[in-house]
């Protein structure tokens, strides 16, 4: 278990480093981020063949995504939601985390039943989001925005043997407004021999996943108001939150 955890941490770190270099986000000029994203919203980072080869070497290609984000005016936080489709055909939140603008840098915390929360220095809410899907159906992510917050969901154990899977990632720029959830990944796993493809837009029509053994989704949401800046509760197990200075 410890070895797998270290491997995932290394993989997320690699993804985050690639994202920072590729998307020109973070502490440099805010205009660079806006240009790369065509405005406020989210967009996948483009990869060269060499960068794809690096991800392939780490076993991450095809089950990871690097996304740049730039919050709209008034955004004071970014929240990640992780869902599992319930038996009744509705999304049930199983984890997530957040990072927000505030005084005093990053602080550890909890979002929902399990997650990560922190505050970043005052300024534009922009950075990168690295996502990795585990073979045990875990969802790991790392938020980078003048500080970092990372999180991994608990493994899921299924009684049926999964023989087919389909993953749909965000593939183009998406403009976003405050308090709007936008899907960046949908994952379907089934014991049947036939599997259709899915896109992130299928998140809004969960009936399309009817009959599939396991369906998960990850969304991003820019938040505003006092809730985004509140001091979070103590960190949950499996959560790592650090200040930018700690990374060195």
């Amino acid at each position: 278990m410890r070895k797998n955890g270290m491997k995932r941490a290394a993989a997320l770190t690699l993804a985050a480093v690639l994202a920072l270099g590729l998307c020109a986000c973070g502490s440099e000029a805010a205009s660079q981020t806006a240009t790369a994203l065509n405005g406020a919203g989210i967009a996948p980072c483009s990869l060269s063949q060499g960068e794809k080869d690096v991800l392939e070497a780490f076993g991450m290609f095809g089950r990871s995504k690097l996304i740049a984000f730039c919050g709209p005016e008034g955004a004071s936080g970014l929240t990640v939601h992780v869902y599992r489709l319930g038996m009744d055909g509705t999304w049930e939140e199983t984890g997530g985390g957040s990072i927000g603008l505030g005084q005093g840098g990053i602080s550890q915390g909890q979002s929902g039943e399990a997650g990560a929360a922190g505050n970043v220095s005052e300024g534009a809410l922009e950075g990168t989001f690295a996502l990795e899907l585990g073979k045990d159906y875990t969802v790991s992510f790392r938020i980078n925005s003048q500080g970092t917050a990372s999180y991994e969901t608990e493994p899921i154990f299924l009684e049926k043997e999964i023989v087919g899977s389909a993953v749909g990632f965000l593939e183009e720029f998406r403009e976003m407004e405050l308090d709007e959830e936008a899907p960046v990944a949908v994952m379907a796993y089934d014991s049947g021999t036939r599997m259709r493809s899915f896109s992130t837009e299928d998140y809004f029509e969960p009936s399309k996943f009817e009959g599939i053994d396991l369906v998960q989704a990850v969304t991003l949401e820019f938040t505003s108001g006092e809730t985004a800046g509140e001091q979070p509760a103590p960190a949950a197990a499996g959560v790592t939150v650090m200040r930018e200075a700690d990374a060195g």
Side-chain angles (χ1 to χ4, degrees), residues 8-41:
R8 290 195 186 97
L12 277 173
T13 299
L14 172 65
V17 170
L18 285 174
L20 285 169
L22 292 169
C23 301
C25 295
S27 59
E28 296 187 6
S31 59
Q32 285 186 301
T33 302
T35 300
L37 291 170
N38 297 317

Short mmCIF file of all heavy atoms in Angstrom, two decimals, residues 8-41:
data_model
loop_
_atom_site.label_atom_id
_atom_site.label_comp_id
_atom_site.label_asym_id
_atom_site.label_seq_id
_atom_site.Cartn_x
_atom_site.Cartn_y
_atom_site.Cartn_z
N ARG A 8 1.83 6.87 -6.77
CA ARG A 8 0.81 7.83 -7.19
C ARG A 8 1.24 9.26 -6.89
O ARG A 8 0.99 10.17 -7.67
CB ARG A 8 -0.51 7.52 -6.48
CG ARG A 8 -1.17 6.24 -6.96
CD ARG A 8 -2.62 6.18 -6.52
NE ARG A 8 -3.20 4.90 -6.86
CZ ARG A 8 -3.31 3.88 -6.02
NH1 ARG A 8 -2.86 4.00 -4.79
NH2 ARG A 8 -3.86 2.73 -6.40
N ALA A 9 1.88 9.46 -5.73
CA ALA A 9 2.35 10.80 -5.38
C ALA A 9 3.38 11.28 -6.38
O ALA A 9 3.37 12.44 -6.81
CB ALA A 9 2.94 10.79 -3.97
N ALA A 10 4.29 10.39 -6.78
CA ALA A 10 5.32 10.75 -7.76
C ALA A 10 4.68 11.06 -9.11
O ALA A 10 5.08 12.00 -9.80
CB ALA A 10 6.32 9.61 -7.91
N ALA A 11 3.66 10.28 -9.48
CA ALA A 11 2.99 10.50 -10.75
C ALA A 11 2.26 11.84 -10.77
O ALA A 11 2.32 12.58 -11.75
CB ALA A 11 1.99 9.36 -11.02
N LEU A 12 1.58 12.17 -9.68
CA LEU A 12 0.89 13.45 -9.61
C LEU A 12 1.86 14.62 -9.62
O LEU A 12 1.61 15.66 -10.21
CB LEU A 12 0.02 13.51 -8.35
CG LEU A 12 -1.37 12.86 -8.46
CD1 LEU A 12 -2.04 12.85 -7.10
CD2 LEU A 12 -2.22 13.58 -9.46
N THR A 13 2.99 14.44 -8.96
CA THR A 13 4.01 15.49 -8.97
C THR A 13 4.53 15.71 -10.37
O THR A 13 4.70 16.85 -10.82
CB THR A 13 5.18 15.11 -8.04
OG1 THR A 13 4.68 14.96 -6.70
CG2 THR A 13 6.25 16.18 -8.05
N LEU A 14 4.78 14.62 -11.11
CA LEU A 14 5.24 14.73 -12.49
C LEU A 14 4.20 15.45 -13.33
O LEU A 14 4.52 16.35 -14.11
CB LEU A 14 5.49 13.33 -13.06
CG LEU A 14 5.79 13.27 -14.56
CD1 LEU A 14 7.08 13.98 -14.88
CD2 LEU A 14 5.84 11.82 -15.04
N ALA A 15 2.94 15.07 -13.16
CA ALA A 15 1.86 15.71 -13.92
C ALA A 15 1.78 17.20 -13.62
O ALA A 15 1.58 18.01 -14.52
CB ALA A 15 0.53 15.03 -13.60
N ALA A 16 1.94 17.55 -12.35
CA ALA A 16 1.86 18.95 -11.95
C ALA A 16 3.01 19.75 -12.54
O ALA A 16 2.83 20.87 -13.01
CB ALA A 16 1.87 19.06 -10.43
N VAL A 17 4.21 19.18 -12.53
CA VAL A 17 5.37 19.87 -13.10
C VAL A 17 5.18 20.09 -14.59
O VAL A 17 5.45 21.18 -15.12
CB VAL A 17 6.66 19.06 -12.83
CG1 VAL A 17 7.82 19.64 -13.61
CG2 VAL A 17 6.99 19.08 -11.34
N LEU A 18 4.71 19.06 -15.29
CA LEU A 18 4.45 19.21 -16.72
C LEU A 18 3.40 20.29 -16.97
O LEU A 18 3.54 21.11 -17.85
CB LEU A 18 3.96 17.87 -17.30
CG LEU A 18 5.03 16.79 -17.51
CD1 LEU A 18 4.36 15.50 -17.96
CD2 LEU A 18 6.06 17.23 -18.52
N ALA A 19 2.35 20.28 -16.15
CA ALA A 19 1.27 21.24 -16.33
C ALA A 19 1.76 22.66 -16.14
O ALA A 19 1.41 23.56 -16.90
CB ALA A 19 0.14 20.95 -15.35
N LEU A 20 2.58 22.88 -15.11
CA LEU A 20 3.09 24.22 -14.85
C LEU A 20 3.91 24.73 -16.02
O LEU A 20 3.85 25.89 -16.40
CB LEU A 20 3.93 24.21 -13.57
CG LEU A 20 3.13 24.12 -12.26
CD1 LEU A 20 4.07 23.84 -11.10
CD2 LEU A 20 2.35 25.39 -12.02
N GLY A 21 4.70 23.83 -16.62
CA GLY A 21 5.53 24.24 -17.74
C GLY A 21 4.75 24.43 -19.02
O GLY A 21 5.01 25.33 -19.81
N LEU A 22 3.74 23.58 -19.24
CA LEU A 22 3.00 23.60 -20.49
C LEU A 22 2.00 24.73 -20.58
O LEU A 22 1.78 25.30 -21.64
CB LEU A 22 2.26 22.26 -20.67
CG LEU A 22 3.14 21.03 -20.90
CD1 LEU A 22 2.29 19.78 -20.78
CD2 LEU A 22 3.81 21.09 -22.25
N CYS A 23 1.35 25.02 -19.47
CA CYS A 23 0.21 25.93 -19.52
C CYS A 23 0.54 27.36 -19.17
O CYS A 23 -0.32 28.24 -19.23
CB CYS A 23 -0.88 25.42 -18.58
SG CYS A 23 -1.42 23.76 -19.01
N ALA A 24 1.77 27.63 -18.75
CA ALA A 24 2.20 28.99 -18.42
C ALA A 24 1.27 29.65 -17.41
O ALA A 24 0.89 30.80 -17.55
CB ALA A 24 2.27 29.84 -19.69
N CYS A 25 0.91 28.90 -16.37
CA CYS A 25 0.05 29.43 -15.32
C CYS A 25 0.86 29.58 -14.05
O CYS A 25 1.95 29.06 -13.94
CB CYS A 25 -1.12 28.49 -15.04
SG CYS A 25 -2.25 28.32 -16.43
N GLY A 26 0.26 30.24 -13.04
CA GLY A 26 0.93 30.33 -11.76
C GLY A 26 1.35 31.74 -11.44
O GLY A 26 0.59 32.68 -11.59
N SER A 27 2.63 31.90 -11.03
CA SER A 27 3.07 33.18 -10.52
C SER A 27 3.53 34.14 -11.61
O SER A 27 3.88 35.27 -11.32
CB SER A 27 4.22 32.96 -9.54
OG SER A 27 5.30 32.30 -10.18
N GLU A 28 3.56 33.73 -12.89
CA GLU A 28 3.96 34.63 -13.96
C GLU A 28 2.79 35.54 -14.31
O GLU A 28 1.76 35.56 -13.64
CB GLU A 28 4.43 33.82 -15.17
CG GLU A 28 5.68 33.01 -14.86
CD GLU A 28 6.25 32.34 -16.09
OE1 GLU A 28 5.72 32.60 -17.19
OE2 GLU A 28 7.21 31.58 -15.96
N ALA A 29 2.92 36.27 -15.39
CA ALA A 29 1.91 37.26 -15.75
C ALA A 29 0.54 36.61 -15.93
O ALA A 29 0.40 35.59 -16.59
CB ALA A 29 2.32 37.97 -17.05
N ALA A 30 -0.47 37.24 -15.34
CA ALA A 30 -1.83 36.70 -15.45
C ALA A 30 -2.30 36.70 -16.89
O ALA A 30 -3.11 35.87 -17.29
CB ALA A 30 -2.79 37.53 -14.59
N SER A 31 -1.77 37.63 -17.70
CA SER A 31 -2.19 37.71 -19.09
C SER A 31 -1.81 36.46 -19.86
O SER A 31 -2.48 36.07 -20.81
CB SER A 31 -1.58 38.94 -19.76
OG SER A 31 -0.16 38.87 -19.72
N GLN A 32 -0.69 35.80 -19.48
CA GLN A 32 -0.29 34.58 -20.16
C GLN A 32 -1.34 33.50 -19.97
O GLN A 32 -1.67 32.78 -20.91
CB GLN A 32 1.05 34.10 -19.62
CG GLN A 32 2.25 34.92 -20.09
CD GLN A 32 3.55 34.29 -19.64
OE1 GLN A 32 3.78 34.11 -18.45
NE2 GLN A 32 4.37 33.93 -20.59
N THR A 33 -1.84 33.38 -18.76
CA THR A 33 -2.86 32.37 -18.48
C THR A 33 -4.12 32.66 -19.27
O THR A 33 -4.71 31.77 -19.87
CB THR A 33 -3.19 32.35 -16.98
OG1 THR A 33 -2.01 32.10 -16.25
CG2 THR A 33 -4.21 31.27 -16.67
N ALA A 34 -4.55 33.92 -19.26
CA ALA A 34 -5.77 34.28 -19.98
C ALA A 34 -5.63 33.99 -21.47
O ALA A 34 -6.58 33.54 -22.10
CB ALA A 34 -6.09 35.77 -19.75
N THR A 35 -4.42 34.24 -22.01
CA THR A 35 -4.20 33.96 -23.43
C THR A 35 -4.26 32.47 -23.70
O THR A 35 -4.89 32.02 -24.66
CB THR A 35 -2.83 34.52 -23.88
OG1 THR A 35 -2.82 35.94 -23.67
CG2 THR A 35 -2.58 34.22 -25.34
N ALA A 36 -3.62 31.67 -22.84
CA ALA A 36 -3.60 30.22 -23.04
C ALA A 36 -5.00 29.64 -22.94
O ALA A 36 -5.33 28.67 -23.60
CB ALA A 36 -2.68 29.58 -22.01
N LEU A 37 -5.86 30.27 -22.11
CA LEU A 37 -7.20 29.75 -21.88
C LEU A 37 -8.27 30.46 -22.69
O LEU A 37 -9.44 30.13 -22.59
CB LEU A 37 -7.53 29.88 -20.38
CG LEU A 37 -6.74 28.98 -19.44
CD1 LEU A 37 -7.00 29.37 -18.00
CD2 LEU A 37 -7.12 27.53 -19.65
N ASN A 38 -7.89 31.46 -23.46
CA ASN A 38 -8.87 32.24 -24.23
C ASN A 38 -9.89 32.91 -23.32
O ASN A 38 -11.03 33.12 -23.71
CB ASN A 38 -9.59 31.35 -25.25
CG ASN A 38 -8.63 30.77 -26.27
OD1 ASN A 38 -7.76 31.47 -26.78
ND2 ASN A 38 -8.78 29.49 -26.58
N GLY A 39 -9.50 33.22 -22.08
CA GLY A 39 -10.40 33.87 -21.16
C GLY A 39 -10.57 33.06 -19.89
O GLY A 39 -9.86 32.09 -19.65
N ALA A 40 -11.54 33.47 -19.06
CA ALA A 40 -11.77 32.78 -17.80
C ALA A 40 -12.44 31.44 -18.05
O ALA A 40 -13.44 31.35 -18.76
CB ALA A 40 -12.65 33.64 -16.89
N GLY A 41 -11.89 30.39 -17.47
CA GLY A 41 -12.44 29.06 -17.64
C GLY A 41 -11.40 27.99 -17.43
O GLY A 41 -10.42 28.19 -16.70
#
